[in-house]
Amino acid sequence: MEEIQLMPVGLRSRLLVFMNDLQRYGDSKPSRDRLSTAAHQFYLTDCHFNPAEIDWILSYRTNEGVTFQEYAAQTLAGKTTLCTSHDLFPVFAEVFDVSKAVFRGAHFKAMLKEYEKVFKAGGRLWET
């Protein structure tokens, strides 16, 4: 029997904001600023996620039966530099089944606007 992995409450919205930052890195200074704080190879930052959420993301089992961390490492193997929008975003989108259309929707835009207020105040999303 396949194990069901329940995403922690609130993580999906923060994951979407994080993925939007990956997509917009090249044309958004706020996205670059947030992602530049990342010490992790996949740009997982403490302004988007708490340590337990980062662990959950990295250990999430993909459809291939490996963890996200293993899948991402295999997919990105051999790359000397990583592009957030062309390399990392597609890995997150595939594993977590997120369409680019989500980011054009009114619900996402309203949510992002609220989270931007948190970022501008120096807060972390997971503290909201």
Side-chain angles (χ1 to χ4, degrees), residues 19 21-26 35 42-43 82-90 92:
M19 290 173 64
D21 281 349
L22 290 176
Q23 255 188 318
R24 306 262 341 267
Y25 186 88
L35 293 174
F42 304 127
Y43 285 83
L82 289 179
C83 174
T84 61
S85 60
H86 295 102
D87 298 326
L88 287 175
F89 174 83
F92 280 92

Side-chain angles (χ1 to χ4, degrees), residues 1 7 14 28 31-32 34 42 47 49 80 97 106 126:
M1 183 179 209
M7 187 174 282
R14 291 189 298 279
S28 168
S31 292
R32 276 192 306 280
R34 287 188 289 272
F42 304 127
C47 67
F49 311 108
T80 55
D97 194 28
W126 55 271

Side-chain angles (χ1 to χ4, degrees), residues 12-21 23-24 100-115:
R12 180 84 174 168
S13 62
R14 291 189 298 279
L15 186 60
L16 292 175
V17 171
F18 167 75
M19 290 173 64
N20 185 69
D21 281 349
Q23 255 188 318
R24 306 262 341 267
K100 283 187 175 184
V102 168
F103 303 100
R104 293 188 295 269
H107 176 74
F108 175 77
K109 289 179 181 180
M111 179 182 67
L112 181 61
K113 189 174 182 178
E114 290 304 309
Y115 279 145

